[in-house]
Amino acid sequence: METQSVRRWYYADSICEFLGRPTEFIIGCLSAASLSVEKPQLNAWGRQIELLREALGSSYPNGRVYFEYVIPRLGKRIDCVLLIEHVLFILEFKVGESQFGSAAVDQVWDYALDLKNFHESSHDLPIAPMLIATDAQAVCFDPTCTIHDDQLLVPLRVSGGQVLEAIEACLLFFDGKPIDVNSWESGRYLPTPTIIEAARALYAGHSVEEISRSDAGATNLSRTSVAVDRVISDARATHKKAVCFVTGVPGSGKTLVGLDVANRHMSAKDELYSVFLSGNGPLVAVLREALAIDLQGRTKLAGGRVRKSEARDQVSAFVQNVHHFRDDCLADSSRPPVEHVALFDEAQRAWNLAQTSVFMARKKGYSGFNQSEPEFLISCLDRHPDWAVVVCLVGGGQEINTGEAGISEWVDALFHRFPDWHVYVSPELRGTEYRAAEILDRLKQRPNVSFNDELHLATSMRSFRAETLSEFVKLVLELETESARTVFHSLDMRYPIVLTRSVTRAKRWLREQARGSERYGIVVSSQAQRLKPHAIDVRVAIDPVHWFLHGKDDTRSSFYLEDVATEFQVQGLELDWTAVVWDGDLRFSETGWGHHEFAGSRWRNVKAIERKRYLENAYRVLLTRARQGMVIVVPEGVPDDPTRAASLYDPTFDYFCSLGLPVLGE
């Protein structure tokens, strides 16, 4: 938890003192706080200081100025923050520039959004972000231009000679009490990064405490990381083998815990050398590419150079594909892996015996393979003669494909073959999506089982606006109408969930909500075969790297709202805003959900209980991807197409209406 002693800026002073300081003194303070400084940066600081000194003059001596304000979640620094009277100003300088690029506008907007959303003392303050192109011609700007009501302005485009004019306009536009400087400086920073942001920050050397919430309202991720560390250290010290289950609701930070542990023990020379493994191909691809891009950027800033292929090779050790790990262990069936600790992300998606046997016979040429994937993966670590730890990061109700057996398959493997392994799990593991009661009852009958409530993450961190979103989605899918309605009303408008029958209207809503580089996109079930009339074809596979990482000018990105992602591409990842387009594969009726698949030219009933669960879980994944809000689209039926009849869609739309979801007006 942050304290008042935490300084998140390189230089700070009252405006009065700042005006009297020599430029060389301020640059010296900034340089001393930096690890390395190139001459262009020194020149930029000098220009910023002089320009700001000229603008402020003696107008606001009681204000305060901060240079190089650190934003750990984004891995960046704000050029300058000003506290003047009742307004917080975010200044991004583009020294020598005469144009206002869209990327630069998003950059300063992102900084302002970060403070508005995650800095406790900035939540209720008027915030005015400014993009200052020092060599631009004077421009017209309007501080009243905003469609949001959270006192955060659309970034002002300001020339180098208009800074004072822009400050005065914002002070006139906003009302409020003078900002308490001490209170603002001591305010806690409580971020909830995306998994991409978190991986970048961890790989760049930030701790999990810096980039995650630490308030009493959320289970502290660092506590869970420490609990896992204790299991690992104890196993090594006492020469034993252990399985540790880290469980939690969707978006609670299970993957972040695994990345944190792996990041601290990445070196093969580390006695606790760990490997982070995931069978989620899109997640691995997106994280690796994001880390490689970030590594290139940081290397360039430090005056070096690294090719993209080299950067990819370097980051590949941080996040590995579980199938490559499995294949290496198959190639040498006697030698233990180099790692003593393996962290398996989304362990609930590991295959059961039947699916593993089919895959091994068809793809690997191993006929008669008689181990489930959990059993084989544990056996690989069991080859170590002294100690080993398997950490399973398990989500409830996240099994979405044939053969994915959930946490029960790991427990079965332990009972079947590894009676001497120690087991660590939370007694707080609850919920029908885990089938937890049965699992806990079985584990209580086994020796060497330790219960630790720090191993269960009960609070969703994905949506910093709605911690109860996962509970709402659970109740919706379980048709607990009254409870779902109650939870929905508790979400209030901080996390908007709206309803429409128009894909076009949903796209417009997404674009209206998003600010800065906030990412939005359309997600649908992989079984949504009858959305083609709405220009949505689930058979067209997206490249998740393009979809999740590329910008607004790339037709392949989620921003373009042309390509859609299914549960298989988005599981483990997230967006800020989503449109969930509902098809006739999962239909509401008075007797419960109807489960269907489209084959040939008609819908067919899904009868297998396991496949019904996969379909519901697919929608569970889709409905929990958005960090800030979502629009649910239930299309209108048409009279001349029985595969898109009104009876397939209207009851579902009416069900959501009954929960209190507002319908977008046209």
Side-chain angles (χ1 to χ4, degrees):
M1 183 176 294
E2 289 192 307
T3 66
Q4 293 189 11
S5 62
V6 172
R7 286 187 48 178
R8 300 184 52 235
W9 50 85
Y10 284 10
Y11 166 81
D13 226 332
S14 69
I15 290 178
C16 182
E17 293 293 333
F18 163 73
L19 293 173
R21 304 281 192 195
T23 299
E24 294 75 14
F25 172 83
I26 300 172
I27 291 178
C29 293
L30 295 171
S31 300
S34 302
L35 294 177
S36 61
V37 185
E38 299 293 321
K39 187 173 181 179
Q41 178 63 75
L42 297 175
N43 293 337
W45 280 334
R47 183 77 185 277
Q48 293 169 24
I49 292 166
E50 293 300 329
L51 191 153
L52 199 55
R53 183 180 281 122
E54 292 171 7
L56 294 174
S58 58
S59 301
Y60 303 103
N62 296 324
R64 194 153 178 86
V65 59
Y66 307 82
F67 276 95
E68 300 295 327
Y69 192 92
V70 179
I71 303 289
R73 185 182 74 93
L74 300 176
K76 296 182 179 179
R77 301 189 301 270
I78 302 173
D79 283 344
C80 183
V81 173
L82 295 176
L83 300 184
I84 299 180
E85 296 183 359
H86 53 284
V87 177
L88 169 61
F89 294 90
I90 308 293
L91 276 55
E92 178 64 22
F93 292 91
K94 296 303 176 184
V95 174
E97 296 289 331
S98 59
Q99 302 296 321
F100 302 94
S102 59
V105 173
D106 283 348
Q107 180 185 3
V108 69
W109 212 343
D110 288 346
Y111 293 157
L113 285 163
D114 191 274
L115 289 181
K116 171 63 71 173
N117 292 329
F118 305 125
H119 185 231
E120 195 173 43
S121 302
S122 300
H123 288 334
D124 299 322
L125 295 181
I127 299 180
M130 294 185 191
L131 176 62
I132 303 168
T134 60
D135 293 2
Q137 297 293 319
V139 294
C140 294
F141 54 82
D142 181 5
T144 67
C145 179
T146 179
I147 61 171
H148 295 267
D149 59 1
D150 58 357
Q151 298 195 93
L152 171 55
L153 294 183
V154 172
L156 302 181
R157 296 164 173 83
V158 179
S159 71
Q162 294 179 291
V163 176
L164 179 59
E165 180 186 352
I167 289 174
E168 291 176 336
C170 293
L171 291 172
L172 185 63
F173 173 67
F174 284 119
D175 294 320
K177 298 178 181 178
I179 298 172
D180 185 322
V181 170
N182 291 330
S183 175
W184 187 82
E185 289 185 355
S186 62
R188 295 177 301 173
Y189 180 59
L190 307 172
T192 56
T194 68
I195 192 60
I196 295 172
E197 291 168 344
R200 282 171 165 161
L202 288 171
Y203 195 72
H206 292 284
S207 68
V208 71
E209 291 87 355
E210 289 181 280
I211 60 170
S212 64
R213 287 170 50 183
S214 57
D215 54 305
T219 301
N220 194 340
L221 292 179
S222 61
R223 285 178 55 213
T224 304
S225 289
V226 169
V228 173
D229 275 342
R230 284 199 301 265
V231 171
I232 295 170
S233 298
D234 181 62
R236 175 179 172 272
T238 59
H239 294 279
K240 67 184 182 185
K241 296 170 182 176
V243 170
C244 177
F245 293 104
V246 175
T247 52
V249 301
S252 57
K254 300 177 293 294
T255 299
L256 179 52
V257 168
L259 289 172
D260 179 50
V261 173
N263 182 61
R264 285 184 280 108
H265 306 294
M266 273 200 302
S267 171
K269 298 179 181 179
D270 191 328
E271 292 179 337
L272 302 181
Y273 183 37
S274 305
V275 58
F276 180 88
L277 302 168
S278 176
N280 184 336
L283 176 68
V284 172
V286 169
L287 289 184
R288 281 184 171 180
E289 189 68 11
L291 291 174
I293 293 170
D294 194 52
L295 178 59
Q296 278 192 300
R298 287 188 288 109
T299 303
K300 184 177 180 181
L301 284 175
R305 183 182 178 188
V306 60
R307 292 197 299 267
K308 177 64 74 65
S309 59
E310 294 172 336
R312 286 170 176 157
D313 287 342
Q314 288 187 43
V315 304
S316 63
F318 185 37
V319 179
Q320 298 186 33
N321 194 303
V322 68
H323 301 133
H324 297 161
F325 179 86
R326 176 201 62 205
D327 292 347
D328 288 343
C329 292
L330 278 171
D332 190 336
S333 59
S334 59
R335 188 171 62 182
V338 64
E339 304 91 354
H340 280 257
V341 181
L343 301 106
F344 293 105
D345 191 35
E346 296 184 15
Q348 76 280 352
R349 297 188 62 187
W351 289 338
N352 59 23
L353 173 59
Q355 185 70 13
T356 307
S357 297
V358 169
F359 175 84
M360 288 296 187
R362 183 182 304 161
K363 299 292 186 180
K364 300 296 178 182
Y366 290 91
S367 60
F369 194 83
N370 62 353
Q371 300 177 67
S372 68
E373 194 168 28
E375 183 176 345
F376 177 70
L377 293 172
I378 295 174
S379 75
C380 297
L381 275 294
D382 193 51
R383 298 173 191 173
H384 284 288
D386 46 2
W387 70 280
V389 176
V390 173
V391 180
C392 295
L393 309 169
V394 186
Q398 301 284 289
E399 308 88 16
I400 57 176
N401 209 351
T402 302
E404 295 175 357
I407 191 174
S408 60
E409 196 69 28
W410 292 89
V411 175
D412 287 344
L414 290 166
F415 273 91
H416 173 62
R417 187 172 165 191
F418 306 101
D420 296 330
W421 277 56
H422 293 247
V423 179
Y424 296 84
V425 68
S426 170
E428 297 301 313
L429 180 63
R430 297 190 183 97
T432 55
E433 67 271 31
Y434 280 105
R435 288 174 279 178
E438 174 190 346
I439 291 168
L440 289 176
D441 287 343
R442 291 186 66 194
L443 288 174
K444 289 175 182 176
Q445 301 168 15
R446 176 190 167 97
N448 299 327
V449 176
S450 299
F451 294 97
N452 182 348
D453 58 10
E454 293 177 347
L455 295 175
H456 183 68
L457 298 165
T459 302
S460 175
M461 305 284 281
R462 172 173 295 129
S463 173
F464 55 88
R465 295 186 182 278
E467 297 170 351
T468 57
L469 174 64
S470 60
E471 177 65 15
F472 171 70
V473 171
K474 177 177 179 288
L475 294 169
V476 167
L477 293 174
E478 293 181 355
L479 300 178
E480 297 287 345
T481 306
E482 289 299 325
S483 297
R485 187 181 296 118
T486 299
V487 174
F488 173 72
H489 286 304
S490 74
L491 293 174
D492 67 43
M493 288 311 293
R494 290 194 71 246
Y495 188 96
I497 305 177
V498 296
L499 192 61
T500 184
R501 311 211 74 167
S502 165
V503 173
T504 299
R505 181 66 188 90
K507 291 180 179 180
R508 186 162 67 247
W509 185 84
L510 290 177
R511 294 188 177 106
E512 290 171 352
Q513 302 307 308
R515 294 181 281 184
S517 61
E518 290 177 346
R519 185 168 287 273
Y520 50 85
I522 301 173
V523 296
V524 301
S525 160
S526 60
Q527 299 302 310
Q529 297 281 353
R530 293 306 297 137
L531 296 178
K532 286 188 287 185
H534 302 281
I536 294 175
D537 190 347
V538 296
R539 298 173 302 174
V540 177
I542 66 166
D543 183 328
V545 169
H546 299 315
W547 204 78
F548 276 103
L549 296 181
H550 288 197
K552 298 174 182 177
D553 58 347
D554 193 322
T555 60
R556 300 165 297 180
S557 76
S558 66
F559 288 118
Y560 247 76
L561 301 178
E562 291 184 1
D563 295 329
V564 302
T566 72
E567 68 273 18
F568 297 115
Q569 284 107 25
V570 300
Q571 188 172 43
L573 293 158
E574 61 260 301
L575 302 95
D576 288 289
W577 306 89
T578 62
V580 181
V581 186
W582 211 281
D583 200 10
D585 51 339
L586 188 65
R587 309 171 196 166
F588 177 81
S589 72
E590 292 186 0
T591 59
W593 289 112
H595 306 76
H596 302 81
E597 64 177 354
F598 195 79
S601 61
R602 63 187 181 89
W603 290 103
R604 297 191 306 196
N605 289 328
V606 172
K607 297 181 180 180
I609 293 177
E610 186 178 66
R611 291 186 59 209
K612 288 182 178 180
R613 188 173 75 251
Y614 292 151
L615 183 54
E616 291 181 23
N617 286 346
Y619 276 93
R620 189 191 313 275
V621 169
L622 300 177
L623 291 167
T624 54
R625 291 310 94 187
R627 288 161 52 81
Q628 301 201 52
M630 65 178 151
V631 53
I632 298 173
V633 187
V634 184
E636 295 269 11
V638 293
D640 57 348
D641 182 355
T643 68
R644 295 194 298 127
S647 59
L648 278 58
Y649 299 98
D650 288 355
T652 304
F653 180 81
D654 293 340
Y655 172 54
F656 280 115
C657 286
S658 74
L659 301 179
L661 272 67
V663 179
L664 288 178
E666 298 303 319

